[in-house]
């Protein structure tokens, strides 16, 4: 016996595919952009050009140190709560980094990168 597909479910599935395609495209373009801009911002803010890639290292270090406990948060409260906490953390870091760039503070930029 074959079931007839509901047209509303088909539209929802197509919409979900396009939302996922857009999200993947944004995610795929985000990391290279962060690496380039983080290096350029680090070079312009640091007293020595050797420190230019430290903001990128802070991004990697922050991801490495927060992943274990964020997985526990998601296991306890669900993925939606975990992604919301991650989004708020990212927005806070971006705000601190923007403030640091505006005021020319390399240490504050490192804090925002973490």
């Amino acid at each position: 016996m074959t079931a007839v597909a509901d047209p509303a479910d088909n539209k929802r599935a197509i919409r979900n595919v396009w939302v996922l395609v857009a999200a993947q495209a944004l995610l795929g373009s985000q990391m290279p952009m962060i690496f380039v801009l983080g290096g350029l911002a680090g070079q312009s803010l640091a007293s020595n050009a050797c420190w230019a890639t430290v903001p990128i290292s802070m991004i990697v270090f922050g991801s490495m140190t927060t992943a274990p406990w964020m997985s526990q948060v998601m296991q306890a409260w669900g993925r939606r709560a975990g992604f919301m906490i991650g989004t708020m953390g990212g927005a806070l870091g971006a705000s601190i980094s923007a403030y640091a760039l505006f005021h020319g503070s390399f240490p504050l930029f490192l804090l925002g990168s973490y």
Side-chain angles (χ1 to χ4, degrees), residues 12-52:
R12 182 178 300 138
I14 291 171
R15 179 189 165 278
N16 286 344
V17 166
W18 283 110
V19 167
L20 291 172
V21 165
Q24 183 67 34
L26 287 174
L27 178 67
S29 65
Q30 169 226 5
M31 285 309 284
M33 200 166 65
I34 285 176
F35 286 163
V36 170
L37 294 178
L40 290 174
Q43 184 181 11
S44 68
L45 292 177
S47 58
N48 187 344
C50 294
W51 294 95

Side-chain angles (χ1 to χ4, degrees), residues 1-96:
M1 188 182 325
T2 60
V4 177
D6 186 14
D9 287 341
N10 192 24
K11 286 182 182 180
R12 182 178 300 138
I14 291 171
R15 179 189 165 278
N16 286 344
V17 166
W18 283 110
V19 167
L20 291 172
V21 165
Q24 183 67 34
L26 287 174
L27 178 67
S29 65
Q30 169 226 5
M31 285 309 284
M33 200 166 65
I34 285 176
F35 286 163
V36 170
L37 294 178
L40 290 174
Q43 184 181 11
S44 68
L45 292 177
S47 58
N48 187 344
C50 294
W51 294 95
T53 58
V54 175
I56 298 165
S57 299
M58 294 298 289
I59 292 169
V60 173
F61 182 72
S63 298
M64 179 186 70
T65 56
T66 57
W69 63 269
M70 279 305 295
S71 66
Q72 291 176 350
V73 166
M74 287 184 180
Q75 200 171 33
W77 293 320
R79 289 189 181 156
R80 180 174 291 202
F83 285 126
M84 293 303 285
I85 291 169
T87 301
M88 288 187 290
L92 178 65
S95 300
I96 291 171

